[in-house]
Amino acid sequence: MKILFLDQSGKPGGAELCLIDIAKPYGDRALVGLFADGLFRKLLQQQHIPVKVLTTQAIQVRKQSNLLQSLASVGKLAPLLTQVVQIAKEYDIIYANTQKALVIGALASFLARRPLVYHLHDILSSEHFSQTNLRIAVTLANRFASLVIANSQASQTAFIQRGGNAKITELVYNGFDSQQYKTSASEVKQIRQSLGLENKFVVGHFSRLAPWKGQHILIKAISKCSPEVTVILVGDALFGEQDYVQQLHEQVREMGLENRVKFLGFREDIPQLMASCDLIAHTSISPEPFGRVIVEAMLCGRPVVAAKAGGAMELVEDGVNGFLVTPGESEELAEVINTCVAETEMIASMADHARAIACERFDMTTINQQIAELLSQRFQKPVHLPTEGN
Ligand code: UDP
């Protein structure tokens, strides 16, 4: 089966990193069509995944745009659509990985007469999207998609509550290659040294810098913790949230935490950095659709505290494989951090347990097989994935 994957972003957010793992086993039978150029293209190329940037102009459909703006931008999309329709004829399926890819993918599916799969990486709620965009996403998915793959129960439920067709939706969590999350003690030592983190209790936050990801909550929380507690913020503003970045820097200055908060920007060495932390904090103040960083922390064998909402609640069982705290509550978060500082043995055994569960539950080979089976059932066509090592 040949698959044309479509993604609107040139930047590697969670949905894009997930797509790398899904597309990889298909080798030359896949093509990833991007609507913008950027680091994501390079990451696909590094993994030898065929990729083509389909437009040089970034598509301007903002999350909060209204109907008129959305329709106006559809008009501008005509050249892109023409390109996608032509390419799609060479493939068996169109696989839309983002909302704007769904818009183009739906129209292309109709024009090129190819079935459409929509991988839903979002919670379709008004916290994240305008009413118009929500309506467009659900209507297009219902009308054109044969299969909607939701990345969590939270995403699946929100889709159905908005009027999405339950019969076409399936839940598939993100898969991970647990081998990639193994780091040696010497690598950890070297990173901690280079970042000046020896003798510190390091709380890592791994996410793009955006208000709803709640980095400000973590900064507030550590002001209530002992002075050895230090934060590394790993990630950059990927979608134009520069004001928030400035606010974070100001917050750090005003609170006198310059020596305890380090901004590392976007990094590609996530497993090594996570392994160098004593605790990983997830602090989203809106429900997280899935929360890749939570699973990655577990695979690195590091304890994790997550905001109790959305997909995070499907990943973490409080007190069993991590901690859950009320979103936006910095006091509660500070309490968990202080517990972790004091109870290192208890949290180390919790993290070991979490790693064992995560390795099994989110195994990439099993999850890719699950997707292949869904595709082959829906489209009555065998999907052959290479066996491991090929
Ligand atoms: N990430 C990264 N470099 C960074 C910060 C984050 O590669 O500097 C990765 C992180 O490891 C995770 C993904 O970005 O795999 C973020 O996914 P998540 O589901 O946590 O959030 P999303 O971006 O989808 O909202």
Side-chain angles (χ1 to χ4, degrees), residues 90-356:
E90 309 289 316
Y91 290 82
D92 300 306
I93 296 177
I94 301 173
Y95 191 115
N97 197 51
T98 56
Q99 283 202 32
K100 290 162 208 170
L102 170 67
V103 175
I104 291 293
L107 298 172
S109 132
F110 177 71
L111 295 169
R113 297 180 185 279
R114 291 292 182 274
L116 176 73
V117 175
Y118 175 36
H119 199 136
L120 176 63
H121 294 277
D122 295 310
I123 293 181
L124 295 180
S125 74
S126 47
E127 274 175 281
H128 291 285
F129 301 99
S130 70
Q131 290 301 321
T132 305
N133 285 0
L134 291 172
R135 217 170 307 132
I136 290 175
V138 173
T139 307
L140 291 178
N142 282 350
R143 168 74 183 79
F144 295 100
S146 310
L147 173 64
V148 174
I149 296 177
N151 66 347
S152 65
Q153 276 167 27
S155 300
Q156 187 177 27
T157 304
F159 175 71
I160 295 167
Q161 278 173 352
R162 285 264 153 195
N165 179 358
K167 289 195 190 117
I168 57 169
T169 70
E170 298 282 351
L171 165 64
V172 182
Y173 288 126
N174 284 204
F176 297 83
D177 175 3
S178 58
Q179 295 302 319
Q180 282 183 10
Y181 294 88
K182 290 188 173 154
T183 305
S184 68
S186 63
E187 276 177 293
V188 169
K189 194 171 171 207
Q190 194 263 322
I191 286 187
R192 284 184 77 114
Q193 250 169 14
S194 67
L195 295 174
L197 297 172
E198 299 116 313
N199 308 319
K200 305 281 184 203
F201 185 91
V202 182
V203 184
H205 192 291
F206 296 78
S207 167
R208 57 204 157 88
L209 302 179
W212 76 273
K213 290 290 190 180
Q215 282 88 354
H216 58 288
I217 305 293
L218 177 58
I219 294 172
K220 205 165 159 197
I222 68 145
S223 70
K224 301 176 182 96
C225 299
S226 52
E228 83 265 27
V229 176
T230 300
V231 162
I232 57 170
L233 295 179
V234 183
D236 210 344
L238 291 189
F239 304 111
E241 301 92 345
Q242 289 308 330
D243 287 353
Y244 183 61
V245 178
Q246 204 142 0
Q247 275 170 34
L248 289 176
H249 282 282
E250 269 164 34
Q251 185 188 5
V252 167
R253 234 183 349 261
E254 277 165 17
M255 296 183 113
L257 295 171
E258 289 95 329
N259 295 329
R260 293 174 59 194
V261 179
K262 293 179 193 297
F263 290 81
L264 302 192
F266 185 88
R267 299 278 295 236
E268 290 180 39
D269 52 348
I270 297 299
Q272 292 74 18
L273 284 169
M274 280 191 173
S276 307
C277 295
D278 297 291
L279 174 68
I280 283 132
H282 163 272
T283 58
S284 295
I285 53 175
S286 293
E288 186 73 56
F290 177 73
R292 288 176 61 84
V293 291
I294 298 169
V295 177
E296 290 171 323
M298 291 174 177
L299 294 173
C300 290
R302 288 297 173 267
V304 62
V305 52
K308 190 178 177 181
M313 290 165 68
E314 298 162 47
L315 309 178
V316 178
E317 198 180 337
D318 189 31
V320 175
N321 61 346
F323 298 96
L324 288 172
V325 290
T326 312
E329 289 294 327
S330 58
E331 293 273 354
E332 233 182 278
L333 180 58
E335 268 175 44
V336 170
I337 296 172
N338 287 332
T339 305
C340 293
V341 173
E343 310 259 0
T344 47
E345 271 179 36
M346 182 273 285
I347 65 158
S349 77
M350 185 190 273
D352 280 347
H353 177 59
R355 170 156 49 191

